[in-house]
Amino acid sequence: MRVTLFDYGAGNLHSLTKALATEEGVDVRVEESPARAVDTDVLVLPGVGAFGSAAARLAPGRDAMRSALEKGLPCLGICLGMQLLFDSSDEGEGAGLGYFAGRVTRLTSRRVPQIGWNQVEGDRTLSGAKLDTAYYAHSFVCRVEDTSVVTGWTTHEEDRFPAVVRRGRVVGVQFHPEKSSSSGVAFVRAFLREVAS
């Protein structure tokens, strides 16, 4: 299985590559071109960086990537990668993929960013790997127009927002599974197994 990380100049590709490679038969590659990144079995949008600069890197291949997702290309979007699956963000200019309807806004909590472990409420994303807690590091969150795509929630202080969204074979997570201990890696592996079948 070819798994491609779309590199939009963010960090943290090493630990994510390591987590993905724990699944047997997975060949992980990193691709800077959004148009070429969709020539793969599974696309991963990694999770560190700012929306504006990531959207600018995405722009030349945005339509190709959105089309590939609509046609069934499996995708895992992590933190900023999840936010790129939405329409737009208060964090910066540029368009996301618009695969999920909604906008990314700043956390309304007193303590921002949220950094550390927090619950994943009612996770029903993957049958083989239910997450109860996960590691978060973010200042912005996705506000969905259609709550039926939310498969897990979390709350930071009084702000409740999607921890996980899913439509078809595309999953977005606000947390960092690659930093969420063995249960986070199990979540990634369960996703890869499900989309491979």
Side-chain angles (χ1 to χ4, degrees), residues 42-66:
V42 179
L43 175 66
V44 177
L45 305 177
V48 178
F51 188 94
S53 58
R57 294 282 287 269
L58 175 66
R62 178 185 177 277
D63 292 343
M65 191 175 286
R66 168 69 190 262

Side-chain angles (χ1 to χ4, degrees), residues 12 47-48 78-79 134-137 173-180 184:
N12 198 39
V48 178
I78 297 169
C79 197
Y135 185 85
Y136 295 80
V173 295
Q174 186 57 68
F175 52 83
H176 287 268
E178 77 280 8
K179 296 180 179 179
S180 298

Side-chain angles (χ1 to χ4, degrees), residues 5-197:
L5 286 169
F6 172 44
D7 180 11
Y8 34 78
N12 198 39
L13 296 181
H14 176 73
S15 58
L16 183 52
T17 299
K18 194 173 173 183
L20 291 162
T22 61
E23 181 62 18
E24 191 175 341
V26 167
D27 175 33
V28 182
R29 68 182 177 114
V30 177
E31 177 56 65
E32 293 181 4
S33 162
R36 287 197 301 269
V38 298
D39 179 22
T40 188
D41 298 319
V42 179
L43 175 66
V44 177
L45 305 177
V48 178
F51 188 94
S53 58
R57 294 282 287 269
L58 175 66
R62 178 185 177 277
D63 292 343
M65 191 175 286
R66 168 69 190 262
S67 175
L69 298 185
E70 292 290 359
K71 289 175 182 172
L73 176 66
C75 176
L76 177 62
I78 297 169
C79 197
L80 173 59
M82 170 183 175
Q83 295 171 9
L84 285 171
L85 292 167
F86 282 76
D87 296 313
S88 57
S89 174
D90 289 349
E91 186 184 15
E93 295 182 6
L97 289 162
Y99 186 81
F100 294 100
R103 185 166 177 85
V104 178
T105 70
R106 190 171 176 82
L107 275 164
T108 61
S109 317
R110 292 180 305 281
R111 289 176 295 132
V112 177
Q114 175 186 208
I115 297 178
W117 293 85
N118 202 347
Q119 290 183 313
V120 181
E121 303 160 17
D123 176 31
R124 54 183 175 82
T125 312
L126 301 166
S127 57
K130 185 179 183 302
L131 271 175
D132 295 316
T133 58
Y135 185 85
Y136 295 80
H138 64 110
S139 300
F140 290 81
V141 295
C142 301
R143 310 295 183 183
V144 295
E145 289 183 14
D146 176 9
T147 58
S148 71
V149 301
V150 181
T151 56
W153 295 88
T154 196
T155 305
H156 178 54
E157 296 176 359
E158 294 81 35
D159 195 351
R160 190 167 186 258
F161 52 89
V164 197
V165 291
R166 179 167 193 173
R167 178 161 76 86
R169 290 152 62 90
V170 176
V171 172
V173 295
Q174 186 57 68
F175 52 83
H176 287 268
E178 77 280 8
K179 296 180 179 179
S180 298
S181 192
S182 57
S183 60
V185 174
F187 184 93
V188 172
R189 293 178 69 178
F191 171 77
L192 293 175
R193 284 183 200 142
E194 184 175 307
V195 298
S197 59

